[in-house]
């Protein structure tokens, strides 16, 4: 299965932008990049996904490198409620996806 | 729209006992997943169903774990007998479709299992 690499932890100040990086150098041409986040004591929740172009939704933006070997999840103004573990995963055409250990985001007031 | 339902939310058992978890996916979702999440780690896929057929169970410890999805809707995951290392949160998720890589997984709240 294609793997992703993320930093173990990151910190941000409240109301500042946060850029969460993800490396996926073995991505194949049909793999989609998905981001999920997991708040304490909850199941993961979907954040955003993309294939080649940058994507925006109400929660975040996803910037995908031109060679697709890396991507960045952008939270435009971090709030305390954004403190969570963020997972970057690759979803294959065959319906497979593998979670890594994610990045724990701490938001300081 | 109702989310993914799981029960029980918490379970404490002694090692060598049996336990079963239940999951009701979002209505109309063909694909159902069971994950095991050990404290401090990401979710690990145990088994994936497409309707009532198994798509992937390569990481399911089949000597002690079993799962079924009757009529392509609800699912149960059973552990028999439990070991200390089975202490984890068991997450159920569902998705509408799995082809094309664009599917979004919806997760339930999980069942926290403690084996003593």
């Amino acid at each position: 299965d294609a793997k992703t690499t993320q930093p173990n932890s990151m910190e941000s100040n409240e109301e500042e932008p946060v850029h969460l990086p993800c490396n996926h150098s073995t991505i194949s041409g049909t793999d989609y990049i998905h981001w999920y986040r997991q708040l304490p004591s909850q199941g993961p929740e979907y954040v955003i996904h993309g294939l080649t172009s940058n994507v925006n939704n109400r929660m975040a933006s996803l910037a995908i490198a031109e060679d697709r070997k890396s991507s960045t999840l952008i939270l435009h103004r971090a709030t305390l409620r954004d403190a969570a573990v963020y997972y970057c995963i690759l979803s294959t055409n065959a319906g497979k996806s593998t979670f890594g250990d994610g990045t724990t985001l701490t938001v300081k007031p | 729209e109702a989310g993914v339902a799981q029960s029980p939310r918490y379970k404490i058992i002694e090692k060598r006992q049996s336990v079963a978890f239940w999951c009701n996916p979002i209505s109309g979702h063909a694909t159902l997943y069971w994950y095991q999440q050990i404290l401090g780690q990401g979710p690990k896929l145990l088994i994936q169903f497409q309707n009532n057929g198994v798509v992937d169970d390569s990481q399911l410890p089949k000597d002690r774990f079993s799962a079924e999805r009757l009529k392509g809707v609800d699912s149960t995951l059973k552990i028999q007998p439990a070991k200390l290392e089975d202490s984890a949160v068991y997450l159920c998720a569902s998705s509408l479709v799995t082809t094309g890589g664009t599917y979004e997984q919806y997760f339930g709240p999980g069942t926290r299992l403690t084996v003593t």
Side-chain angles (χ1 to χ4, degrees), chain A residues 1 30 32 34 36 38 41-46 49 87 89-102, chain B residues 9 33 35 37 40-45 48 55-56 58 91 98-110 112:
Chain A
D1 292 339
T30 56
Y32 277 77
H34 285 240
Y36 286 77
Q38 187 171 23
S41 300
Q42 295 187 24
E45 65 173 344
Y46 167 83
H49 77 271
Y87 297 99
I89 67 173
L90 301 180
S91 295
T92 75
N93 222 12
K96 290 185 180 292
S97 54
T98 303
F99 282 79
D101 291 338
Chain B
R9 291 295 311 277
Y33 313 78
Y35 289 88
Q37 186 171 28
Q41 298 180 17
K44 182 181 91 171
L45 180 68
Q48 178 179 339
V55 173
D56 183 359
S58 57
L91 294 162
T98 54
T99 56
T102 63
Y103 49 92
E104 174 184 336
Q105 295 184 50
Y106 295 81
F107 284 81
R112 182 176 298 277

Side-chain angles (χ1 to χ4, degrees), chain B residues 42-59:
Chain B
K44 182 181 91 171
L45 180 68
L46 293 176
I47 190 167
Q48 178 179 339
F49 292 95
Q50 179 76 14
N51 294 309
N52 59 353
V54 176
V55 173
D56 183 359
D57 64 356
S58 57
Q59 298 196 86

